[in-house]
Amino acid sequence: MKKNDFESAARLIKNAKHLTAFTGAGISAESGIPTFRGKEGIWNKYDPIILDIDYFKSNPEKAYPLIKEMFYEIIDKAQPNKAHKILGQWEREGILKAIITQNIDNLHQKAGNKNVIEFHGNTRDLVCMNCGEKFSVNSIDFEQNPVICPKCGGLLKPDFVFFGEPIPADAYKQSVFHTLASDVYLVIGTTGIIMPASLLPYEAKKNGAKIIEINTEPSEYTEKITDIFLQGKATEILDKLNNLNSLIGY
Ligand code: APR
């Protein structure tokens, strides 16, 4: 594993035939969204049981106020940062083929990326656990507790993946496709411990991809599969790569 070899990383990105970015909470940290782990992590403040599907089903009136506090209030105010925007630019320039994100904050889409695979779903919609109807969070009365389906009166669930729920089939399929098609795989801001998402970079590596990792500190991947480790904040590292990229182009 080479550390902070920006030149090699920029060249790999520039010449990649199929570059995929795999992102975690760390890419949104500089947009003011707390990560899950680490000293200011969400799990230091809230009990993960709140996001357990069985707990949610039996205690929706307890879970909802905390879920709104944990995610919706913060995500509403959050804007894409420079890291998100550079990935948007790389997609427009044809450098980046897809983003597989574990995040549910919609910041990649706000930064202009079209091909975003939301491995853990999203906070834009809610789905009825009774009739299956989907509603955009802005189209219903989100103030009620618990949030009830306007169509059948059933319990509405945020459309992100709770612990104990399966990964959305289409997201899974698309993630595997891009992971196996990648010759360069950019892993940004993730501890690499939550399965099955965390297995994807290993699959990319096994399939011959070069792994470039951006993180403020080493992760589960760094000593095992990372080829180039760029240590630092995602905004700073991507900005540096982006400048080098444009230089290498000429
Ligand atoms: N730039 C780059 N990396 C950063 C930054 C930053 N500014 N700030 C923090 N990081 C790194 C941390 O070092 C850590 O490795 O981001 C990572 C955040 O790790 P987690 O909080 O565990 O987030 P993530 O890996 O995305 O969690 C995966 O766990 O709770 C579940 O479903 C939830 O999608 C989430 C999954």
Side-chain angles (χ1 to χ4, degrees), residues 130-142:
N130 178 47
C131 70
E133 191 81 7
K134 211 172 259 197
F135 302 88
S136 127
V137 71
N138 305 321
S139 70
I140 49 120
D141 170 15
F142 196 51

Side-chain angles (χ1 to χ4, degrees), residues 176-193:
V176 170
F177 166 76
H178 281 286
T179 295
L180 298 182
S182 297
D183 56 332
V184 183
Y185 210 73
L186 186 54
V187 177
I188 309 173
T190 179
T191 36
I193 57 175

